[in-house]
Amino acid sequence: MINQHLEMAIVELQEFIDSRPDAREVKKALAVKLVYQGYKYEEIQTILDVSVGSITSWKQAYKEYGICGLRLNYKGRKSYLSDEQLQEVLSWLQTKEIWELGELEYKMAFEYDVIYESKRSYYDLFEAAGISWKKTTGLNPKANQQAVAAKKNRLKHCWQTTERT
């Protein structure tokens, strides 16, 4: 009966390992699986480069909560914007022709009293609105029309014409 329980636990842990993309969850499950397969804690510590205390707590979490005890518990930080405010910002972004990061930062600071520490948060808003953050200006500000024309003229002999059928 005990062997059957161990075998079922090992199979369940292996299925969890095979299905999880997060290496931290895989490491937890692998440590518990190795314990159930009879490895010593010191061997597991060396193999996985984790502490004996971590192995013990992961095994206890698995005993108490099953596979759910091995999942990461981090849920992320609560959003600075309510769902309604987020929809307002996304709608505003979608009505614009040209997007500028500075304008978005200004709107967030003065209308919603939100200042993100990282530019990544603003880029995430652009992405959520279906806008590539690289579309910030209508024209390339570094474009030099004379240099482009000179290069086209210089490379004109390299061009080939193809007939359309």
Side-chain angles (χ1 to χ4, degrees):
M1 183 71 174
I2 300 254
N3 276 345
Q4 186 180 9
H5 177 68
L6 277 176
E7 299 256 344
M8 286 175 35
I10 290 170
V11 168
E12 179 183 42
L13 288 163
Q14 186 59 50
E15 287 173 358
F16 181 76
I17 290 167
D18 293 340
S19 68
R20 302 309 295 176
D22 193 300
R24 296 168 294 179
E25 291 179 346
V26 169
K27 188 180 275 193
K28 289 178 180 184
L30 187 55
V32 175
K33 179 183 169 198
L34 292 173
V35 167
Y36 285 152
Q37 288 178 328
Y39 285 82
K40 294 180 181 168
Y41 281 51
E42 291 76 19
E43 293 172 323
I44 299 169
Q45 179 183 17
T46 303
I47 294 168
L48 297 179
D49 194 29
V50 295
S51 69
V52 172
S54 292
I55 298 167
T56 304
S57 65
W58 296 337
K59 181 182 172 196
Q60 187 61 37
Y62 179 71
K63 273 186 175 179
E64 195 169 330
Y65 302 108
I67 287 295
C68 292
L70 301 176
R71 291 204 168 103
L72 297 177
N73 294 324
Y74 182 71
K75 302 288 187 241
R77 181 185 285 180
K78 184 181 177 292
S79 176
Y80 291 119
L81 298 173
S82 68
D83 289 340
E84 183 180 306
Q85 291 172 329
L86 176 62
Q87 288 307 313
E88 287 174 11
V89 171
L90 297 179
S91 295
W92 174 77
L93 282 171
Q94 290 170 342
T95 62
K96 298 194 55 59
E97 292 285 324
I98 297 174
W99 303 273
E100 293 184 15
L101 181 62
E103 189 178 5
L104 177 59
E105 289 174 318
Y106 182 85
K107 182 174 183 68
M108 296 293 293
F110 287 98
E111 287 190 27
Y112 302 103
D113 199 29
V114 172
I115 299 173
Y116 292 120
E117 290 180 28
S118 168
K119 299 262 188 245
R120 179 75 242 165
S121 299
Y122 297 105
Y123 298 149
D124 289 343
L125 287 172
F126 282 128
E127 186 177 337
I131 300 164
S132 168
W133 64 269
K134 295 180 182 178
K135 293 181 184 175
T136 57
T137 60
L139 297 172
N140 181 352
K142 296 180 182 177
N144 180 338
Q145 295 300 327
Q146 292 172 339
V148 170
K151 187 171 184 178
K152 281 183 179 179
N153 216 8
R154 196 175 60 234
L155 298 175
K156 197 172 192 175
H157 70 281
C158 298
W159 296 347
Q160 293 180 353
T161 57
T162 57
E163 292 184 30
R164 295 185 184 178
T165 57

